[in-house]
Each structure stands twice: as C-alpha cells, then as structure tokens.
Amino acid sequence: MGCTASKPTAGAACVASNKPIGAVSIVPPQSERDCPKENCTMTPHNNHDEEEKKDEQTYTANQDIESTEKLSPDIGTTMPPALEKEINDFRSEAEKELVKLAEIYGPAGAKLSRVDAVTLMDGWNKVLAFQTMWKEAFFMRWRILLAREKVICSYNHNDTDENSKASHKFEKVVKLAEKMVDKNQDPIALCLGSRLSSGKDTMLALFDQTIRDLCPHTQTVQREAYRPTLEDGGAGLGFSLECNTVEEIFRMLSRCGLRPKHVGTALCEAFLWSLESHTPYALDDEKEDLEQRPDQGAFSRFVADKVARMAIKDMINIREDFATPMFTFHLPTFWRQVKAHPKMKNRFGEKFYTNLLTDYPELLDYFARADMDTLSSHIALAIDLMLLRYSEVVAEVDSVFRKTVDHLADMHRRLDIPTDAYPSIGLNAVKTLQPFFTEYVSSFENTQRPVTADELTQGLVASYMEVMWFVFHPMLKEEKLIAKAEAFIGQCAEELRWPQSQLSKRLCQVKLEINKTGTYSHTSDEIQVGARLAWRNSAKCIGRIAWNTLEVRDRTHVNSPSAMMNELIDHFMTATAGTNIQSVMTVFRALTPDESWGPRFWTEQGVRYAAYKDEQTGEILGDGANLEFTEFIVKKGYWTPPEPRTQHDILPCIFKMPGIDTPIVHEFDPKYLYEAQIEHPDYPDVAKLGHKWGTVPIINTMAMNLGGIQYTALPFNGWFCSIEIVRNLMERYSPEKFAMAMGIDTKSTRMWKNQVQYELDRAICHSFDKSGFTIVDLETVGEQFVTHCKREKANGRECPGQWSWIGGLAGPTNVTWHKEMRDFLVTPQYEYCAQQWKVVGYDEEPPIDFDLRSRNTSSTTSLDTLSLAINSDEDEFDIKIPRVLIAYGSETGTAESAAGRLGRSLRICRPIVCSLNDVAGMDVVTKKAITHVLVLCSTFGSGEAPSNATDFMKTDIPLRLLVGTKVAVLGLGSSMYPDFARAGINVANKLNQAG
C-alpha cells in the first residue's frame, strides 16, 4: 500500500526520531556531517557538545500527553472541550474579520465582470514585468502592517506621553515595527518559520494563479515559440513537499498558524498598496481602478473576495477537518491499544526500524550512529505527537506541538536525513501498524460509529503528513540551497577552468558551511564571475556586449557606513577615470539568514536630481520622478536643499544599515560627480534651458542572487544609451520648452514630439561627445546587441531578451526590431528591489483615527480611513463632498483620456466617469444626487458627435432636470476644420435646454 493522501500538500513522514525539548539526542557532532569522502577526511567525535549533553535525559512525553488530553467517552457526539473552545474562538475571530472586509470591500460573492477580469490581467502583466520588486514590496509591507498592529496592541500605555502628538506616537510605532521585522519577530515571520525565505515567491504564486484563473482562455501563450507541451506532473510520490495550487497555499498559511487577522484586511491593504506604489508605467485605467472606492475597484474586490475571504474559509475548514471522531477518538484510541498490545509492548520501534532498514538498506547510514533503544523511543514519541495531540495539528506558533515539531525538524536537518527518504519511512510506518487494524475495527463493529481499515489508513496518513509537513521543510530548504550553490559553483568552475579536484574540494567546503550555518560565503573570484554572468543573463539589457569586462570590486568585508561611502567615491573615480567610462560594480556584504532587508541604498542612482512642487501653481521644478523622495527626505530632516533651488540639485546618497535606527546621509563632493551640459549643435537656445545630466548611470537599487545568496547593496554602472536620457528628459521635464528652443511649432506640427525626440537625441550625443564621456547611440547599441547574440550562439548559449525593452526601445528602423527573442530566466541574475523607505512607511502620516490610548488595532491606513469617512454620514465629519459626473464623447480617445485625468484630479469626490451614451437622458442626476456635471466632447467627421455620444444626443432630457446642477462643457477639436468643436457646442445647448 502506498503512502498517499487526498490532499497532496503535506509531505510524507520521517519518524526516525522525535526529540522534543529534553529528549534523548541522536544528533551527530557537526564534523560528522556527510561530505564527499574522496575530498574530505572526517574524524569521528565520540563526545557531544554541551547542548547535546543537556539533551541526554529521559523524556516522559507519554505521561505528559495523556495527562493533558482526555478522550471523549461519547464517540462522534462531543469533541474535547479545549478543541471546541479553540474552534469557537477561531470562528469568532474569522467572523469579525469577514465583517471588516464587508465594510470596506463590499459584500462577499460580488461577481467580477469581464471588464474587471481584463483590467486585472493587464495590471498584473505590469507586475510580472517587475515581479522581484513587487513581491518584495507586498510581502514586506504585509509584515510591516501586522507588526504595527502587534506593536499597538502591546503598547505600554504607562510610557505614553498624553500630550505628545499623534504623529510622534505613530513614528514610534513605525520604528518599533521596523525593528520587529528586521529581527524576524513579526507575526508572519514567527508563523512561517523556515518558510519565511520562500514567502515572497509563495504569495506571488498565490496571486498569479488566482488572477489567471479569472481568464483561463487567455493563458495559452502564442509568442513564445518554445513553450513546453506538457506540464510537469511532479515526482509521482503521491504527495507534494511544497505548494502547487492556490488551495495548497491557503492550507500552508493555515498550518503555519496564520489567523484571519493576518490574511484579512492587512493582506488586502498590502496588495493594493504595493500595486499602487511599486508598479512602474501603469496605464491610466489601471490607476483609476486603484483610486476607486474599495467596494468598487476591480483589484480591491478581487483581493477581498478571491484571496482574503477564501483564505479565511480554508483556515476554518482545516480546523474542522481535525475535529472529527477519526482524529479526536479513533486514532488516539487505536494507538493506545497498539502500545498496550501483548505482541507490541515496547517493541513497536524495534519492529518499525527492522522493517524499514530491511526494505530500505540505503537508509542505514542515517541511523547507524544511534542504538535501537534510542530509535525505538523516538518513533513511539513521534507517533504520540501525531495521534494524541490532535487538538494542536493546526499549529499555533507558541504551542507545545509547534515547538516540538520545530525541534524535531531541526534534528532531522542536522542528521542530514534527505527529503527523498520521507516516502519510504512514511510507507513503513503505516505498514507496521496495519496488522492491528483488524482487531481494532472488529471491536467497533456494533458501536454508534463503526470504522473501517481504509478509514484508519486515510486518517493515519493525514495525521502523518500534517505533522511531517513541518519536519521536512528545513532539510528541503537546505537541499535547495545546496543545489543552487552546486549549480553556481559549477558555472564558476567552467568560467575559471578549474580542474575537477578543485571543484570537488570547493563543493565540499560549501556544503559543510551550509550544514553548519545555513548559508555560505563566496570568494572574490566567484563574486566577479557571478556579477558578470548576471549582466550577461539580464534579458532587459540591450548593452551587455561588454559583460566580460565588468570590473567587480569585492567589498563584502567593509561594514562601517563611513567606509562604505568612501568605497562609493572610489567607485565613481574608477568608473570615470580618463572620461572613458568603465563598467564597474562594488559588492557589499550579502543578506544574512536572520535579516529581512540587509544593507540598502535608498537613493536609486548615483546622480539623481531633486524636485520641488509649487503649492500655488502645481508646477514642478527639477526631476519630477524624484518629487516624492525629495519631499520625504526634506520633511524628515535628512537633507536641506540648497538656496536658491534649481532644476538640477543633486540629491544626497542615503544608505540604511540593519540595526541602525537612522539612515546614513552623505553628500558627495561635486568634483566626483561628473555632469554633461545639454546643448545642441544647431539650436543654441537649448543650452539656455540649463539642462545637464550625470554621465555615469550608477544604479544603487538592484539586488543580485548568486547561488541562492542575495546581495542587496551593489552599486553598478555601465554607460548611457542616448535614448535613455531622451526618454527621461521628455517624461520628467517640459517637452514644450525643448520644442520652443528648437523652433518647433507644437500646434501646427503634427508629429512635433517625434521631432523633439530626434533633435534631443542629437543634443545628448553631441553634449557627451563634447564633454569627452562615453555614450552610445541607438543604432550602434542595436548592432552591438545583435553581435552579442551571435557571440553567445557561437559559445553554445542562447541569449535571453525581453523584446519590449530591446526591440521596442530601439524602434522599427533598428536591426533588433525583427529579432525574435525569448524571455527566459537564467541564473545568476539581477533583481529589482523594493523601496525600503516607502515600504516601512517612514513617509506616512498617522491614520485619521490613530490613537494608542484607545488600543486601535485596525490596520486601515489614512487613505482607507478617509474613504470610510466619506462613505459615512457626512455631517458627522462636517464635510460636504460634491457629487460629480464626468461624461465624455470620444472617437479616438483624446477626450476620454482627458476625462480620466480629470477624474483622477478630483478623486477625493469619487466622480462617476463614463461615456455620454451611458448617461443618455441624464436620469443619473436624480438617482445619484449629482451636483456637478462636467462634459468633455470631441467632434467627429463633419461636426457630428462621436459614436459613444450619439445615443445621448438622440435621447430627450426632461425639462428643468438640471436646475440647481452646475454644468460645464469642454468642446475639443481642431481649428483647422470649419465645424471646430461643433459636437461640444451641441451638447452644451442640449444641457442648457434642460435647465
């Protein structure tokens, strides 16, 4: 009989030993861990260390368990009081969280329309393009929000200054929550345990699969020519060691001890916040959806209904699964009878291991260092844990059950019991117990609730897999890290041409270091090879032809902030030596296993320009992309802008080290920061605009993964492609001013922006050439990329490429335009990082209802609170919100886009934005108590209304319907035509007739 289960998420059992705290130890000294014998000679040690000696005690778990767990005498009618109380408390908590979800996101079961589904898919595609950044932003934000809630709940009110401002109290909460997350003491970290490191990927997979399920008919990818024809069916073991479906992920979160308060409003808020803050280049309609009321937006309703509510439902189900008579009565009773059976007294462990090692002699090495008495004791205690502590199968973090299985898991990891041994051991456990089924089944044939042998088997397997689901993971995590390390070290050996003996020796060193510490360190040569390969493998980069010339500076030994800043200065000097820019990377220390963030740069690039917004006019001086960051560091006092302020004030370099409360702020001497003045060879007025740009594109906010080790602080530069600077200047500054300086008429020239782009590209190349700094133009870099692909092919390597970043960037006249590219993942790899300062919430104001003294544990942010306030009785808040209707008539999208922008600027009013046809007859004014009507209408053909306004024009509006309603109409069109804005005029006349 195979060891299988209906729910394939749990993992099979490995019960060679069970050592709760104080149990007899069979853990070998660290030096006896397995290692390739041809490369390392290990000397056995007979003495255990101090920790192991302390564990050399007799464990009386049988008595402890039996004294705390009383079986119900009434089969199937009464569950144990402790279990009943736990389930009732859990249901009560779940109900409260579901009520909160309904209040914010609307009632359960609200169906998502096809439009909603497409909106979700389009927005999610943006997330997938920057998934490493987004998943970190979401996961860390989720942890931060729950850490804040925990801080508020446990806040010592005796230390609270009654007179301190809410902003000061909130800042204290933010800092305490950050420390909690930094030390992995937040609720999510404590629940997930060894799964914390894979939490980001797990949650990304959860959202990805749930969104894809909304549009299953669009999941067959056509562009990718080499997609797999069959899905991987797994290892065929009858169970999975990890989560492969949405349902399995929900069960994993529940097993780990997450509760409704963890996966309810806090998860929804983190999801929506990260979409809004960490999804670059989102389209207008995607932004509009995120700005809608929580009960109306597609993203908000999706995450509440398809994720949060489903997770809570599954958490209830898994608890009820183990509240049945099978687990509360039959299995505990069966196991007690087995232990007391004359043929089995104190011999179950001996039988188990005799059968196991006879059938699977390859497992003998793992248990050879322990005597049979010790092994027998441990297997009996392991099954006691499985079958007698049924009320704790869903493991709360601080339960005896969880502490015990965590200890057992660590011991299995130290014993090097491989995960592929679990099925064999689990199968043998069931096989050893099967001879006792018949006697037990017959004793309940005429009772109130009989049981069959098959039911007992299924129950045993389910209990086994639930418990061992915890036990296998630390070893699985270690196996994965070793596999990644072996793959990476193998790549290094190939690049550095190591002999086999050197590779074997290095692999042995790495494995021993992982066994001992849970991680490993790289040599300088390995870091250099890894950094170069990561550049070569970067699918978004068009200019990686020089990957093997990257100068890599190993500074992993530099830990003091001042020394790190000095190294950054050296980086600038190395990169710009002689003005011929050299590609350079400076690598600081890696993320350690007990860290959440690691060392991080907050300033995205070496040279970024500040931005200042005029509160009166709304105009922005400087680089608008940095407005939020500039306002944040000025408000916090990290930086004082120079006076007078200019459009090219260089922002300071800001760096955050783990364990240090405040970030390190450093302003570089301008002599290290080379800039090129932007001028045009033919248009001298361009120089008068005063624009300039940094010559070295040092990127600070990328991470690098080398063989499973994450580096989060590694300033890296290549050199600019001119179109990158052109795009930045066009997006962040005024293209109209450039056009004026170039003598280009923005009103009469049909493609004036294209003309400005071309001339600005000429200006950039001219300016850099004049300054003597390296830059590459678009045509040249396209040819270089094709050459790079040919070189890779000659070396037997396919070149990954993301067409939208290469062919799409270069344009239809470039050689890359028609090159088919496959965007596949190859490691090592660079990854985008989340913005730590934003995720932690340094820039946030306290919520409207924030008050530590009231022990407010709501995770609602100020934005959500404002939304709730607007939904409530307006008189209570003494505010009157206009009811705004924005209607558009648009054929080619100009008026529709303008209506969308207007709606976003008035989002505090939550306006209705729709086509004129959607409000034909204007009865919406009465139904929605509209106070303001704003219409934007273009003209089509010979003065006709656009197609989405024709029904509006044909439908009568009742007289005096609009009396008291404020109305404004904007007619759009071209003055080149005789019927200029005619449709807008007709709409205005129609509305005037209605009052």
Side-chain angles (χ1 to χ4, degrees):
M1 180 181 64
C3 180
T4 61
S6 58
K7 289 183 172 66
T9 64
C14 177
V15 292
S17 55
N18 175 18
K19 185 187 69 173
I21 299 171
V24 176
S25 172
I26 58 172
V27 183
Q30 185 63 49
S31 57
E32 293 185 40
R33 301 297 295 271
D34 288 343
C35 175
K37 293 181 175 53
E38 67 273 17
N39 301 314
C40 296
T41 302
M42 307 305 298
T43 304
H45 291 264
N46 295 320
N47 297 325
H48 295 284
D49 57 24
E50 185 175 335
E51 178 188 353
E52 302 301 337
K53 288 181 180 179
K54 188 181 297 185
D55 288 337
E56 295 281 350
Q57 304 168 15
T58 302
Y59 182 63
T60 57
N62 289 339
Q63 292 81 358
D64 292 342
I65 292 175
E66 292 182 19
S67 65
T68 56
E69 298 292 345
K70 303 297 182 183
L71 297 177
S72 170
D74 188 4
I75 305 172
T77 59
T78 304
M79 70 175 69
L83 181 58
E84 185 175 14
K85 181 179 185 303
E86 155 62 18
I87 291 179
N88 288 337
D89 289 347
F90 192 87
R91 286 172 177 159
S92 177
E93 180 183 324
E95 183 62 32
K96 290 178 181 177
E97 196 65 29
L98 290 171
V99 169
K100 286 172 63 178
L101 286 169
E103 289 175 349
I104 299 174
Y105 300 102
K111 188 175 181 181
L112 292 168
S113 67
R114 291 184 178 181
V115 175
D116 292 334
V118 175
T119 300
L120 286 161
M121 281 299 304
D122 283 349
W124 190 245
N125 283 336
K126 294 288 194 314
V127 169
L128 294 180
F130 299 91
Q131 59 180 270
T132 56
M133 175 177 65
W134 185 88
K135 69 184 180 184
E136 182 180 47
F138 160 76
F139 193 68
M140 296 304 292
R141 182 67 174 184
W142 185 29
R143 293 176 61 187
I144 286 289
L145 291 177
L146 290 171
R148 287 185 193 173
E149 191 169 312
K150 186 173 181 179
V151 169
I152 294 172
C153 288
S154 59
Y155 198 86
N156 186 347
H157 298 281
N158 295 328
D159 295 336
T160 303
D161 181 0
E162 299 287 338
N163 298 319
S164 63
K165 295 181 179 179
S167 59
H168 296 158
K169 298 175 185 177
F170 184 70
E171 185 175 352
K172 187 172 183 178
V173 169
V174 168
K175 290 182 177 179
L176 289 173
E178 181 194 13
K179 288 181 180 180
M180 189 181 293
V181 171
D182 275 346
K183 296 178 180 179
N184 288 331
Q185 293 299 309
D186 58 285
I188 296 297
L190 293 175
C191 287
L192 293 185
S194 64
R195 286 177 168 79
L196 182 64
S197 60
S198 58
K200 294 190 288 287
D201 293 319
T202 300
M203 296 308 294
L204 180 72
L206 167 63
F207 290 122
D208 182 64
Q209 189 57 55
T210 309
I211 290 176
R212 290 180 187 276
D213 287 345
L214 299 175
C215 301
H217 60 288
T218 65
Q219 301 310 310
T220 302
V221 180
Q222 181 170 314
R223 180 172 178 79
E224 181 57 85
Y226 291 94
R227 62 183 181 272
T229 56
L230 292 175
E231 294 297 329
D232 181 8
L237 298 175
F239 61 87
S240 171
L241 294 181
E242 295 212 87
C243 306
N244 295 316
T245 67
V246 170
E247 291 75 15
E248 290 170 7
I249 293 175
F250 285 151
R251 291 183 70 85
M252 181 273 285
L253 297 176
S254 183
R255 284 192 188 98
C256 286
L258 268 70
R259 301 183 68 88
K261 64 182 179 182
H262 299 140
V263 298
T265 53
L267 182 142
C268 294
E269 182 183 341
F271 176 78
L272 298 170
W273 179 91
S274 54
L275 285 175
E276 190 170 359
S277 63
H278 282 76
T279 308
Y281 310 115
L283 298 178
D284 287 348
D285 59 335
E286 294 155 6
K287 294 178 182 177
E288 289 168 7
D289 183 86
L290 290 170
E291 291 165 357
Q292 289 192 50
R293 278 173 33 182
D295 60 343
Q296 292 183 352
F299 283 101
S300 54
R301 288 183 291 121
F302 157 78
V303 71
D305 213 43
K306 302 297 184 181
V307 181
R309 289 188 177 104
M310 293 302 294
I312 293 173
K313 178 182 177 181
D314 203 80
M315 286 179 174
I316 296 173
N317 289 341
I318 193 173
R319 278 163 170 78
E320 293 179 344
D321 286 347
F322 287 93
T324 61
M326 174 58 68
F327 299 99
T328 62
F329 180 82
H330 281 301
L331 290 179
T333 304
F334 169 73
W335 176 236
R336 283 186 169 90
Q337 290 185 8
V338 169
K339 290 197 297 181
H341 197 282
K343 294 182 179 180
M344 191 54 70
K345 273 205 177 218
N346 301 321
R347 296 186 60 242
F348 174 80
E350 181 181 340
K351 267 186 168 297
F352 171 84
Y353 281 106
T354 299
N355 293 338
L356 175 69
L357 299 179
T358 299
D359 294 343
Y360 305 100
E362 65 274 11
L363 299 179
L364 183 61
D365 287 345
Y366 297 107
F367 306 107
R369 293 186 288 270
D371 60 81
M372 184 58 71
D373 288 341
T374 302
L375 290 173
S376 298
S377 172
H378 276 73
I379 185 59
L381 293 176
I383 299 184
D384 278 349
L385 180 71
M386 286 184 345
L387 303 184
L388 301 184
R389 299 212 66 102
Y390 50 84
S391 65
E392 296 182 7
V393 167
V394 179
E396 300 297 337
V397 174
D398 57 352
S399 67
V400 175
F401 175 89
R402 179 64 177 268
K403 292 175 181 177
T404 307
V405 293
D406 285 348
H407 187 83
L408 180 61
D410 183 63
M411 185 172 65
H412 280 211
R413 184 194 67 80
R414 287 184 284 161
L415 276 170
D416 264 345
I417 298 175
T419 54
D420 58 12
Y422 293 171
S424 304
I425 300 171
L427 172 62
N428 186 67
V430 177
K431 180 180 177 182
T432 306
L433 291 169
Q434 276 182 322
F436 301 92
F437 284 3
T438 303
E439 183 177 341
Y440 182 82
V441 169
S442 63
S443 66
F444 284 91
E445 283 181 346
N446 299 318
T447 62
Q448 181 180 351
R449 187 179 179 86
V451 65
T452 67
D454 285 343
E455 289 174 338
L456 279 177
T457 300
Q458 293 172 9
L460 281 170
V461 170
S463 292
Y464 225 24
M465 295 173 73
E466 289 295 327
V467 173
M468 293 308 158
W469 184 85
F470 288 97
V471 174
F472 85 89
H473 195 268
M475 190 62 210
L476 178 66
K477 180 181 175 181
E478 183 172 299
E479 287 177 346
K480 284 186 172 184
L481 180 56
I482 289 174
K484 291 177 181 178
E486 288 176 342
F488 173 64
I489 299 300
Q491 288 178 299
C492 292
E494 182 179 350
E495 294 292 328
L496 298 172
R497 300 183 180 180
W498 288 349
Q500 182 60 39
S501 59
Q502 185 177 354
L503 172 60
S504 299
K505 181 179 179 180
R506 178 59 179 145
L507 289 176
C508 179
Q509 293 171 345
V510 168
K511 183 177 180 182
L512 288 174
E513 190 175 357
I514 292 174
N515 290 160
K516 184 176 181 180
T517 66
T519 186
Y520 70 103
S521 55
H522 294 119
T523 66
S524 294
D525 285 344
E526 290 163 0
I527 291 175
Q528 175 173 279
V529 170
R532 289 177 174 179
L533 295 184
W535 192 8
R536 188 181 77 188
N537 295 334
S538 295
K540 289 183 171 70
C541 182
I542 192 174
R544 49 193 140 133
I545 191 170
W547 65 271
N548 58 350
T549 66
L550 175 66
E551 181 175 339
V552 181
R553 306 168 69 241
D554 177 8
R555 296 298 183 269
T556 53
H557 58 282
V558 178
N559 290 314
S560 75
S562 59
M564 295 175 75
M565 287 302 168
N566 289 334
E567 292 295 342
L568 199 54
I569 293 173
D570 289 344
H571 182 120
F572 272 106
M573 297 176 66
T574 303
T576 57
T579 71
N580 186 19
I581 295 175
Q582 167 68 37
S583 52
V584 181
M585 175 180 285
T586 301
V587 182
F588 295 109
R589 74 165 179 85
L591 190 73
T592 62
D594 59 344
E595 287 181 336
S596 296
W597 288 107
R600 294 281 179 127
F601 284 93
W602 286 4
T603 311
E604 293 184 356
Q605 290 188 14
V607 176
R608 292 299 295 265
Y609 299 114
Y612 316 102
K613 186 175 183 179
D614 189 309
E615 296 299 331
Q616 301 297 323
T617 64
E619 292 184 359
I620 295 175
L621 175 67
D623 189 341
N626 301 318
L627 177 63
E628 187 178 7
F629 185 68
T630 303
E631 292 178 340
F632 159 63
I633 62 175
V634 171
K635 178 181 177 182
K636 289 295 182 181
Y638 297 146
W639 181 62
T640 301
E643 294 294 344
R645 300 180 179 186
T646 72
Q647 62 183 344
H648 291 290
D649 294 338
I650 297 177
L651 289 167
C653 180
I654 301 184
F655 186 78
K656 183 72 166 59
M657 286 289 287
I660 301 177
D661 287 347
T662 57
I664 294 90
V665 182
H666 184 85
E667 292 192 62
F668 291 113
D669 190 318
K671 68 181 180 182
Y672 300 121
L673 308 177
Y674 297 99
E675 299 170 280
Q677 303 292 327
I678 307 301
E679 57 183 67
H680 196 286
D682 300 328
Y683 302 111
D685 286 351
V686 171
K688 295 178 182 178
L689 296 175
H691 286 292
K692 52 186 175 180
W693 208 256
T695 58
V696 185
I698 298 180
I699 307 298
N700 293 330
T701 53
M702 297 285 280
M704 176 173 66
N705 192 306
L706 303 183
I709 304 300
Q710 192 84 352
Y711 293 87
T712 56
L714 48 136
F716 161 67
N717 75 272
W719 45 81
F720 274 117
C721 177
S722 58
I723 194 64
E724 295 175 290
I725 304 176
V726 170
R727 183 185 62 216
N728 291 338
L729 289 173
M730 293 280 287
E731 289 178 352
R732 304 173 188 175
Y733 294 86
S734 171
E736 288 81 5
K737 290 183 179 179
F738 284 113
M740 186 178 301
M742 297 169 183
I744 300 172
D745 188 350
T746 60
K747 293 184 177 180
S748 61
T749 305
R750 180 185 291 269
M751 300 177 67
W752 68 269
K753 284 189 178 180
N754 297 66
Q755 192 172 344
V756 170
Q757 176 184 320
Y758 169 74
E759 294 296 345
L760 194 52
D761 204 337
R762 286 184 61 205
I764 299 298
C765 292
H766 167 78
S767 302
F768 271 67
D769 290 343
K770 184 177 179 179
S771 301
F773 288 100
T774 306
I775 195 167
V776 62
D777 63 82
L778 199 53
E779 293 300 320
T780 302
V781 79
E783 293 170 358
Q784 289 176 350
F785 178 74
V786 172
T787 301
H788 168 68
C789 292
K790 290 179 180 178
R791 290 179 181 176
E792 290 296 285
K793 184 187 296 184
N795 283 281
R797 296 187 296 261
E798 185 179 1
C799 181
Q802 191 171 118
W803 188 89
S804 60
W805 280 68
I806 297 175
L809 171 73
T813 61
N814 194 278
V815 67
T816 61
W817 180 264
H818 293 292
K819 180 172 176 56
E820 290 294 328
M821 303 175 194
R822 294 211 311 128
D823 185 9
F824 54 93
L825 179 65
V826 190
T827 57
Q829 190 60 251
Y830 296 139
E831 299 174 348
Y832 289 98
C833 289
Q835 295 170 297
Q836 183 188 12
W837 62 273
K838 189 179 291 187
V839 174
V840 172
Y842 286 107
D843 60 324
E844 294 177 26
E845 295 292 338
I848 291 174
D849 56 353
F850 179 78
D851 184 3
L852 286 176
R853 290 171 294 174
S854 66
R855 300 182 72 85
N856 177 6
T857 60
S858 171
S859 61
T860 311
T861 62
S862 55
L863 199 60
D864 283 334
T865 306
L866 178 59
S867 177
L868 290 174
I870 292 172
N871 283 327
S872 305
D873 184 3
E874 293 176 354
D875 293 335
E876 180 182 349
F877 296 91
D878 195 27
I879 54 175
K880 295 295 182 182
I881 304 297
R883 309 288 185 179
V884 180
L885 167 66
I886 301 175
Y888 59 82
S890 179
E891 197 68 47
T892 58
T894 303
E896 185 174 351
S897 297
R901 291 194 297 272
L902 179 60
R904 286 195 299 279
S905 66
L906 297 175
R907 62 181 177 274
I908 189 64
C909 303
R910 299 196 316 276
I912 298 172
V913 181
C914 59
S915 71
L916 283 165
N917 281 351
D918 292 333
V919 291
M922 295 300 286
D923 56 341
V924 67
V925 172
T926 303
K927 291 180 180 179
K928 299 293 185 179
I930 298 297
T931 61
H932 295 69
V933 175
L934 307 176
V935 177
L936 300 89
C937 188
S938 63
T939 300
F940 180 68
S942 301
E944 293 91 7
S947 57
N948 56 10
T950 53
D951 290 347
F952 175 86
M953 295 303 297
K954 296 175 182 177
T955 305
D956 293 333
I957 302 175
L959 293 177
R960 303 186 61 77
L961 176 69
L962 298 179
V963 172
T965 304
K966 296 184 178 180
V967 178
V969 178
L970 173 64
L972 301 177
S974 173
S975 58
M976 296 173 57
Y977 298 100
D979 293 310
F980 172 58
R982 172 53 56 189
I985 295 172
N986 292 339
V987 169
N989 291 336
K990 187 177 183 69
L991 294 174
N992 283 332
Q993 294 172 5

